[in-house]
Amino acid sequence: MGYLDSGSTLLWNDAKQFIPKIKKEGLKQFLSVWKNHQQRHDTSLSWGDELELSLVCVDDSHSCLVVNGEQLIRVLQDKQKQMNTRKDTAQTLCEWHPEFSNHMVEVIPQKPYKSIVDSIFNIFQSMHERRLIIQNVLQPNQFVVSFTAYPRFGLPGFLEKKYTPSSGFLPLLKTENSNSQSLFIPDVLPNPHARFSTLVYNIKCRRQVKPFIIVPLYMDKFTNGGYCSNHTSDALYQKEKDWSQAQKKEDLDRFTVAELSKKTINPVKGHVYMDAFAFGMSQCCVQTTHMCSDEKEARYLHDQLLVLAPFFLALSASTCVERGYLVNTDTRWETLEQAVDCRTQKEKHYIKKSRYSSSSLYLSNEEPHQSNYNHWNDTHPYINQEAKNYLIENGVDMILANHIAHLWIRDPLVIYENKVDLDSTEHTDHFENIQSTNWNSVRFKPPPKNKYTTDSIGWRVECRSPESQLSDIENSSLVAFISILTQVITKKRLNFYIPMSMNDENMFRAQQRDAVTQQTFYFRTNIFTTNFKELSDPDSIQLLSLHEILCGSATSTVSFPGLVALCYEYIQETQSFHSSQALDFFQKTMHLYIQRVQGKLLTGAQFLRQFIISHPCYQQDSFVNDIICRDITIVSIYLGFHICTALPLLGDIQHVLPLMSLPHHNVKTLQLPRFSSQLLQRFQNASWYATSLVFDSNFSYLITNDG
């Protein structure tokens, strides 16, 4: 598969003239796919996962991000070609994809998993081996980690020294001449492919000013967020501790804050301010893509996963630090929504969401959705009426036409000069141009068509909400849960429909601090019915905790078995040779998430917040200094390679690991960094660290070397 589309990209003023043509041709391309892919595929719901990882460097006193992702991907792709040529099946065959930031690598299995029940044994091994393959081509002091967000992203020294000033933020003169005009992010950060820098520039031009991103501060005893005292922990960064010019967010719009940011890097009281596309698109996630037997099944599965997406976000919450500050939310979602918001001031009045947001419409044209369409799609999102009429005139049903026409309220953001004129019966590039830059919580994916693909790829649904958690245990367990649940949904025809306004509220609640135990969510409890009368019963949708949603509820008004019990039952019913072993394995891995919703284990965000607050160098000011960040990075390395476990995060995972076969290859020793002297001294005392980080010599082991 190619690295990325090649060709010259057009900047916004030059690209605008081609937008009408690309939108029109994109609809033609969708119609071509829709008409030619109506046959049913025997897929057995094959699926794959997409894992985004970060590259970090740790020396004796500092940690930072390594921005050589493009180079690394080319090395890994060459190695992959060599293995394909010699038909080496000893290692996982992978596809390596670039992401926006050049410190990121996206890696997926080259072939999808087939039988979901049997393949859950392989998820952990596959994820872990992907981590090892990357590690093997890094320098001795470089490591691969699964952060969602690097804690000091955007602060001085967060990139390798050759790319950023060792102290102070980017000079204003440099900022004004940069592509993004960000105070914090140099233009060297994005992957060098022209697509990524063009995205930055065109979003900024379309909205007429750089992004305006704010996330509420976690207010500690000495937090200087415009409300509290001026105590600060880090005298080096004079600008960082200055909140004297900060104003209330209600008094600021995108233009006034951009002007104010020329005077201060903290323009908004009580909030962390960020000003670049990179703050959102440099964050990592885990996605699952599910192949469906036909369009009808894909539309139905899209709707069910859309209701579940907020729960997966809350379960995997891993983001408690933004631009070096503890924040009062637990996920990346709000930052992403604001970073990618390209709406003009006028469009904000009628387009309700950013390009990156929870999905806005259900898609199924079957019952019970079809007859309840207006009831469940109650937010009435704006649609492109011309596009809708064109699709309906060409045979597309109203429900699907509404979905595509809602995507078509957005303009294409990257236009390749050499790909404006394409045969719509042979390519889908123009359709994908808009489809792939509507970054929603769940994506409905028609079959692709270009020189890199074949018609064997059918209709797919992509679940995009989970965060990238610190360990392969967490990531693989959640992926297993989503994948088994997907099979349960399609086989038992479960019905999770709730009004879209409630689903939007669920997505908002999932982002809040400690949502996994402190929030309740709208959820349908009579999930097996298609009876209209039962569906309209106001008691059929309840506010439930995540514990009740996963483990069941049997109160006077609610009787619901729980999603986990449905998965257990399904595995027991399968005729798989490994069904009994799979059930035992699944129960053990799901125990992690059951304990998490019970409040017995922490999410990644809760664990990292506790780690920071308990650190001997933390001064109760919400600020994550360089020493703390380095220790967090080391913990993420240790957890990623199973050198230690964190009891508050993972509990006793030793009973699970023997079932998760680790890969065996020719190896080299991993050279590990040491914690800071301050933290090592704290280890010697009875402290939170001494009782949480447990080192296991069995897993202080070796890294693959494929020769």
Side-chain angles (χ1 to χ4, degrees), residues 87-361:
K87 297 182 179 179
D88 183 353
T89 58
Q91 252 186 2
T92 300
L93 300 180
C94 304
E95 288 184 4
W96 309 91
H97 298 163
E99 271 298 335
F100 168 79
S101 179
N102 207 25
H103 79 274
M104 299 166 67
V105 176
E106 181 184 87
V107 53
I108 66 175
Q110 195 174 73
K111 293 183 179 180
Y113 300 103
K114 288 297 181 184
S115 168
I116 287 182
V117 170
D118 290 351
S119 66
I120 62 171
F121 291 106
N122 304 322
I123 302 170
F124 171 81
Q125 181 174 357
S126 172
M127 283 190 176
H128 191 63
E129 190 160 4
R130 282 176 263 172
R131 185 187 295 260
L132 299 180
I133 292 169
I134 297 172
Q135 184 63 46
N136 190 57
V137 298
L138 297 178
Q139 297 300 312
N141 63 338
Q142 296 175 353
F143 303 91
V144 58
V145 295
S146 50
F147 275 137
T148 296
Y150 183 70
R152 285 174 61 87
F153 189 88
L155 288 188
F158 84 104
L159 297 181
E160 295 169 283
K161 289 181 181 178
K162 59 184 175 181
Y163 293 120
T164 54
S166 58
S167 65
F169 290 83
L170 297 178
L172 192 59
L173 185 61
K174 249 186 195 181
T175 297
E176 290 173 341
N177 293 328
S178 78
N179 190 31
S180 66
Q181 295 185 338
S182 172
L183 294 169
F184 313 103
I185 307 298
D187 284 348
V188 72
L189 179 70
N191 184 289
H193 190 279
R195 168 183 171 84
F196 300 109
S197 58
T198 306
L199 273 171
V200 172
Y201 184 83
N202 285 353
I203 281 182
K204 182 190 67 179
C205 289
R206 195 181 190 287
R207 59 181 276 119
Q208 301 175 314
V209 70
K210 64 183 179 179
F212 172 20
I213 308 162
I214 54 172
V215 181
L217 267 168
Y218 170 83
M219 305 302 287
D220 210 337
K221 184 177 180 180
F222 299 116
T223 302
N224 180 17
Y227 296 127
C228 302
S229 75
N230 289 324
H231 180 90
T232 186
S233 64
D234 203 326
L236 176 62
Y237 307 121
Q238 296 300 316
K239 288 184 178 181
E240 185 59 49
K241 69 179 182 180
D242 178 19
W243 292 79
S244 61
Q245 299 185 68
Q247 298 181 20
K248 294 180 181 179
K249 69 173 183 177
E250 295 80 11
D251 299 333
L252 296 167
D253 61 24
R254 63 177 69 181
F255 299 105
T256 56
V257 79
E259 285 301 310
L260 186 56
S261 71
K262 294 177 181 179
K263 303 174 184 176
T264 175
I265 60 172
N266 295 313
V268 188
K269 283 188 177 181
H271 290 76
V272 179
Y273 168 68
M274 296 164 279
D275 66 350
F277 182 80
F279 280 102
M281 283 307 202
S282 295
Q283 295 177 328
C284 296
C285 65
V286 175
Q287 300 163 5
T288 61
T289 299
H290 307 272
M291 184 88 77
C292 299
S293 57
D294 56 21
E295 175 205 331
K296 183 182 289 187
E297 184 176 80
R299 290 168 68 170
Y300 161 74
L301 181 59
H302 166 276
D303 292 358
Q304 308 314 312
L305 287 179
L306 180 50
V307 179
L308 300 173
F311 312 147
F312 302 144
L313 177 63
L315 287 170
S316 61
S318 299
T319 312
C320 66
V321 183
E322 300 268 18
R323 215 197 85 213
Y325 280 98
L326 281 169
V327 294
N328 212 37
T329 54
D330 276 4
T331 79
R332 75 197 191 285
W333 203 262
E334 185 177 11
T335 301
L336 280 164
E337 287 181 323
Q338 297 175 82
V340 185
D341 191 355
C342 71
R343 292 173 294 171
T344 64
Q345 286 283 72
K346 181 180 177 181
E347 286 172 337
K348 288 194 76 171
H349 293 297
Y350 58 90
I351 299 177
K352 299 175 183 177
K353 295 180 181 178
S354 165
R355 276 182 184 265
Y356 210 118
S357 64
S358 57
S359 307
S360 296
L361 287 165

Side-chain angles (χ1 to χ4, degrees), residues 568-621:
Y568 291 166
E569 181 183 309
Y570 172 74
I571 295 173
Q572 287 176 312
E573 290 172 355
T574 63
Q575 299 302 309
S576 165
F577 177 75
H578 295 292
S579 293
S580 60
Q581 298 100 310
L583 178 61
D584 181 51
F585 175 72
F586 187 70
Q587 286 175 324
K588 285 181 166 63
T589 57
M590 279 310 298
H591 191 57
L592 186 156
Y593 285 99
I594 291 171
Q595 288 190 300
R596 192 168 278 185
V597 297
Q598 290 172 336
K600 296 177 181 178
L601 292 180
L602 304 178
T603 63
Q606 292 170 327
F607 172 76
L608 289 173
R609 185 178 282 109
Q610 184 66 54
F611 186 95
I612 293 164
I613 290 172
S614 303
H615 197 283
C617 293
Y618 178 69
Q619 296 188 25
Q620 296 177 276
D621 55 1

Side-chain angles (χ1 to χ4, degrees), residues 519-665:
Q519 292 288 335
T520 55
F521 300 88
Y522 292 103
F523 189 75
R524 174 174 296 285
T525 54
N526 56 347
I527 60 174
F528 300 102
T529 186
T530 58
N531 182 282
F532 294 156
K533 185 176 180 181
E534 293 175 357
L535 289 169
S536 61
D537 180 357
D539 289 335
S540 64
I541 297 175
Q542 297 279 331
L543 278 171
L544 300 182
S545 66
L546 272 178
H547 179 254
E548 291 173 308
I549 292 170
L550 260 63
C551 302
S553 176
T555 67
S556 57
T557 56
V558 178
S559 180
F560 173 65
L563 298 179
V564 174
L566 293 174
C567 292
Y568 291 166
E569 181 183 309
Y570 172 74
I571 295 173
Q572 287 176 312
E573 290 172 355
T574 63
Q575 299 302 309
S576 165
F577 177 75
H578 295 292
S579 293
S580 60
Q581 298 100 310
L583 178 61
D584 181 51
F585 175 72
F586 187 70
Q587 286 175 324
K588 285 181 166 63
T589 57
M590 279 310 298
H591 191 57
L592 186 156
Y593 285 99
I594 291 171
Q595 288 190 300
R596 192 168 278 185
V597 297
Q598 290 172 336
K600 296 177 181 178
L601 292 180
L602 304 178
T603 63
Q606 292 170 327
F607 172 76
L608 289 173
R609 185 178 282 109
Q610 184 66 54
F611 186 95
I612 293 164
I613 290 172
S614 303
H615 197 283
C617 293
Y618 178 69
Q619 296 188 25
Q620 296 177 276
D621 55 1
S622 306
F623 193 65
V624 178
N625 65 28
D626 215 346
I627 298 171
I628 301 172
C629 182
R630 182 180 176 276
D631 283 336
I632 292 172
T633 305
I634 293 171
V635 166
S636 71
I637 295 167
Y638 286 9
L639 290 174
F641 291 110
H642 309 290
I643 293 154
C644 77
T645 186
L647 294 180
L649 178 71
L650 298 171
D652 180 13
I653 61 167
Q654 303 309 315
H655 66 293
V656 179
L657 283 170
L659 300 174
M660 295 178 159
S661 54
L662 293 166
H664 300 284
H665 300 291

Side-chain angles (χ1 to χ4, degrees), residues 8-21:
S8 303
T9 55
L10 296 170
L11 298 182
W12 187 246
N13 286 332
D14 296 322
K16 282 192 289 189
Q17 62 180 304
F18 296 111
I19 288 174
K21 177 180 177 65

